[in-house]
Every structure is written in structure tokens, then in C-alpha cells.
């Protein structure tokens, strides 16, 4: 006989399947199968599909509306056509970014168990990311400063492309959410002993002088599609996947991501990676 059983303690809901079997004429065997993890994974997968569909539906609805208008009432309207083409190109770019981020996330998730083996020097990599972000920073009138000795070398065992993605995402967020005329400070240093990583670590920090994040959101920021302000994120071209990608890459490197923020003062994202 099989009996599904739901136990509710105060914090976590667990789900079991209970199998009862009589052993001959004698005792009864009870087998508890814990289905909680399997059910949670099903929920995560369902939510993920719902989120992706929702993210795609918004630009698709806009595109369909515009196509209809251009085929009908605005057929001969040159000015409207120009304006609509601009919107279409923005929406297509948004879908492209979403697909790129989804592919990155799936790639990163699939090799999360394989620790990278290359040797990477982080100071040079960080400086090259800052140069890549110079144009968007300039257009937002944001100043980026790198603290510390530019020629000092910090080696780790890592995947250079993925680490580049981490720093680019963090810098991009600091520019997008840090506010115009803000200041971004980037730091890199050796920590002799990090208790969580149980050894020497390289700490990289991207700090901005933006509006900060309410502490209530911080534990959820690395969830896929979690945004503090969806409207603002979409307005600045966000997909809601950047920090989820960062978290998975940091996990693959056996590192740690820490987020500290003070409302009205700014936010600091720190990445700790085991040093070589
Ligand atoms: P998005 O594509 O929306 O930027 P992310 O995963 O990169 O997605 O970030 C998730 C959310 O975290 C953002 O939507 C934003 O609300 C918040 N966030 C990220 N970085 C910062 C920052 N430096 N300052 C304030 N809020 C931030």
C-alpha cells in the first residue's frame, strides 16, 4: 500500500511517500521516500519556463502590435515607420540578450561540477574589463577607479572567459544601477586566510555610490529573474539573469560571492576566489 504524506513543520514543507508492507504473517515494514527535492526541482523548472515565456512575450507582443500597425493604419506614415523600426530594433536586441544569457546560464550550470584548470592572472583581467566598460561608463558619466598596485599579480585556477563575464556583469550593474554621475571603485587584494574558503583568497570588490539595495532583497538577488525593480531593470536592458550567472561561475571556481549594501550610500559586490 502507498500513502502520499505531507508534513508541515514551521519553515519547510516536506513531502513523503510511505510504503507499508507486511512481511509474511509477522511484522510490518514502513518505507519513507522523501520526495521533497524532486518536487522542489519540478517547481523550479515550472517557474523557469513560466518566467522565460513571460520575458519573451513582452517584446513579442510589442513586435506583433507594430507589425499590425505598419501593415494597416501607419502604412504610408514615414515618420511612424522610422519610430517603430527603432522600437523593433530595441525589442529584438532585448530578445537577443535574453537568449545569450540563457545559453550562458545553461553552459555555466552544466560545467559547474568541473573545476577549471587554467591559470589566470586577475589584475590584468580586471583592468581589461574596466577598459571594456569605459564607453558605457562614459555615457552614464560614471567614474571607475581601480585601487591598488596595477602591476601586482594575483593568480588563481580559473576559466578566463567566465571570470571576464563575472567582472563585466558586476561592472555593468554598477554602471546601470549606480546612477548617473556616480563613482565605481574596484579593488583587488590578497586575503591571507579566508575562513569559508579555508585558505588564502583573492578578493575582488566592485563598489558603487548608487541608491543601494534594501536588505530584504539581498538574499534573493542571485535567483534567476529576481529583480528589485523590474521596470527599471527592463528600462536599462536587464534580463534578470546576470547575477545568477555570476553566482554559478563563482561556485564553479569554489569561491564565494558577498553582497553588502546601505540604502542611500551604495552597494559592494565582493568575489572571493581561492588563491594559487
Ligand atoms: P538585471 O539583468 O536585471 O540587471 P541581475 O541579475 O544582474 O539582473 O541583477 C538583479 C537585480 O539586482 C537587478 O535587477 C537590480 O534590481 C539589482 N542590482 C544588481 N546590481 C545592483 C547594483 N549595483 N545596485 C543596485 N541594484 C542592483
Amino acid at each position: 500500500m502507498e500513502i502520499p504524506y505531507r508534513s508541515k513543520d514551521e519553515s519547510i514543507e516536506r513531502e513523503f511517500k510511505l510504503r507499508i508492507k507486511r512481511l509474511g504473517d509477522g511484522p510490518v515494514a514502513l518505507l519513507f521516500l522523501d520526495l521533497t527535492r524532486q518536487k522542489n526541482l519540478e517547481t523550479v523548472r515550472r517557474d523557469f519556463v513560466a518566467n522565460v515565456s513571460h520575458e519573451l512575450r513582452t517584446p513579442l507582443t510589442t513586435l506583433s502590435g507594430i507589425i499590425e500597425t505598419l501593415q494597416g493604419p501607419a502604412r504610408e506614415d514615414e515618420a511612424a515607420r522610422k519610430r517603430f523600426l527603432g522600437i523593433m530594433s530595441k525589442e529584438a536586441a532585448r530578445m537577443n540578450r535574453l537568449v545569450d544569457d540563457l545559453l550562458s546560464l545553461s553552459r555555466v550550470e552544466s560545467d559547474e561540477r568541473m573545476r577549471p584548470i587554467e591559470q589566470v592572472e586577475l589584475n590584468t583581467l580586471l583592468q581589461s574589463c574596466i577598459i571594456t566598460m569605459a564607453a558605457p561608463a562614459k555615457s552614464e558619466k560614471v567614474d571607475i577607479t581601480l585601487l591598488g598596485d596595477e602591476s601586482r599579480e594575483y593568480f588563481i585556477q580559473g576559466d578566463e572567459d567566465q571570470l571576464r563575464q563575472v567582472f563585466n556583469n558586476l561592472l555593468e550593474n554598477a554602471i546601470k544601477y549606480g546612477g548617473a554621475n556616480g563613482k565605481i571603485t574596484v579593488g583587488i587584494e590578497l586575503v591571507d586566510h579566508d575562513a569559508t574558503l579555508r585558505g588564502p583568497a583573492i578578493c575582488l570588490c566592485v563598489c558603487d555610490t548608487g541608491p543601494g539595495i534594501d536588505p530584504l532583497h539581498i538574499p534573493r538577488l542571485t535567483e534567476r529573474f529576481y529583480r528589485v525593480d523590474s521596470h527599471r531593470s527592463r528600462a536599462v536592458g536587464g534580463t534578470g539573469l546576470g547575477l545568477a550567472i555570476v553566482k554559478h561561475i563563482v561556485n564553479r571556481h569554489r569561491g564565494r560571492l558577498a553582497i553588502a549594501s546601505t540604502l542611500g550610500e551604495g552597494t559592494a559586490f565582493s568575489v572571493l576566489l581561492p588563491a594559487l
Side-chain angles (χ1 to χ4, degrees):
M1 184 180 14
E2 282 187 8
I3 305 172
Y5 173 73
R6 271 175 171 252
S7 102
K8 275 188 194 170
D9 75 17
E10 277 161 28
S11 51
I12 320 160
E13 191 170 309
R14 306 193 71 85
E15 192 164 333
F16 292 93
K17 190 189 265 179
L18 169 62
R19 280 196 185 144
I20 307 175
K21 198 171 180 189
R22 179 169 282 272
L23 305 172
D25 290 336
V28 171
L30 302 179
L31 177 66
F32 289 87
L33 291 170
D34 189 345
L35 301 179
T36 317
R37 200 174 133 74
Q38 187 185 332
K39 295 282 172 190
N40 284 349
L41 284 175
E42 280 166 23
T43 313
V44 168
R45 208 187 51 219
R46 250 197 326 270
D47 288 353
F48 183 64
V49 172
N51 276 323
V52 173
S53 313
H54 175 75
E55 294 296 325
L56 283 173
R57 183 171 294 137
T58 318
L60 279 174
T61 309
T62 311
L63 288 179
S64 318
I66 290 179
I67 292 167
E68 239 170 66
T69 316
L70 286 176
Q71 283 172 333
R75 194 192 313 236
E76 310 296 339
D77 186 338
E78 181 60 30
R81 205 175 59 192
K82 244 186 170 166
R83 192 160 49 84
F84 283 143
L85 279 174
I87 301 174
M88 285 169 92
S89 135
K90 249 176 132 176
E91 296 301 328
R94 177 196 300 281
M95 285 194 282
N96 253 327
R97 273 196 307 274
L98 179 64
V99 172
D100 282 349
D101 279 358
L102 285 169
L103 287 174
S104 284
L105 190 60
S106 117
R107 226 175 294 128
V108 172
E109 277 180 339
S110 70
D111 35 65
E112 194 168 331
R113 282 168 201 277
M114 284 184 296
R115 193 165 176 191
I117 47 171
E118 291 166 43
Q119 185 169 311
V120 182
E121 200 285 298
L122 291 176
N123 208 348
T124 319
L125 182 64
L126 197 55
Q127 287 170 43
S128 126
C129 293
I130 293 175
I131 292 170
T132 312
M133 288 297 150
K138 195 172 170 201
S139 74
E140 291 296 320
K141 299 191 175 63
V142 171
D143 207 44
I144 307 182
T145 313
L146 175 67
L147 299 179
D149 180 354
E150 286 183 19
S151 59
R152 184 161 175 192
E153 294 180 320
Y154 299 92
F155 286 101
I156 65 152
Q157 192 178 318
D159 177 320
E160 187 168 330
D161 289 341
Q162 288 192 344
L163 291 166
R164 188 179 291 280
Q165 202 169 358
V166 166
F167 306 139
N168 282 345
N169 280 357
L170 294 180
L171 285 167
E172 204 181 319
N173 277 351
I175 297 169
K176 284 192 307 196
Y177 303 108
N181 303 313
K183 286 201 185 324
I184 299 175
T185 315
V186 182
I188 179 165
E189 62 175 2
L190 174 72
V191 176
D192 289 331
H193 184 86
D194 179 74
T196 334
L197 302 188
R198 297 200 190 120
I202 311 294
C203 177
L204 296 112
C205 183
V206 177
C207 311
D208 64 58
T209 51
I213 305 167
D214 192 313
L216 135 115
H217 295 290
I218 291 181
R220 300 199 58 193
L221 285 185
T222 55
E223 286 176 23
R224 296 183 283 195
F225 297 112
Y226 189 86
R227 290 147 157 141
V228 176
D229 176 348
S230 303
H231 184 74
R232 171 134 178 78
S233 158
R234 291 201 175 89
V236 292
T239 60
L241 294 173
L243 290 178
I245 295 173
V246 166
K247 187 192 79 177
H248 282 287
I249 296 178
V250 172
N251 285 349
R252 184 182 174 214
H253 286 76
R254 311 292 185 261
R256 186 159 70 84
L257 174 72
I259 308 170
S261 189
T262 309
L263 282 175
E265 287 183 19
T267 307
F269 285 84
S270 308
V271 176
L272 271 135
L273 298 163
L276 267 184

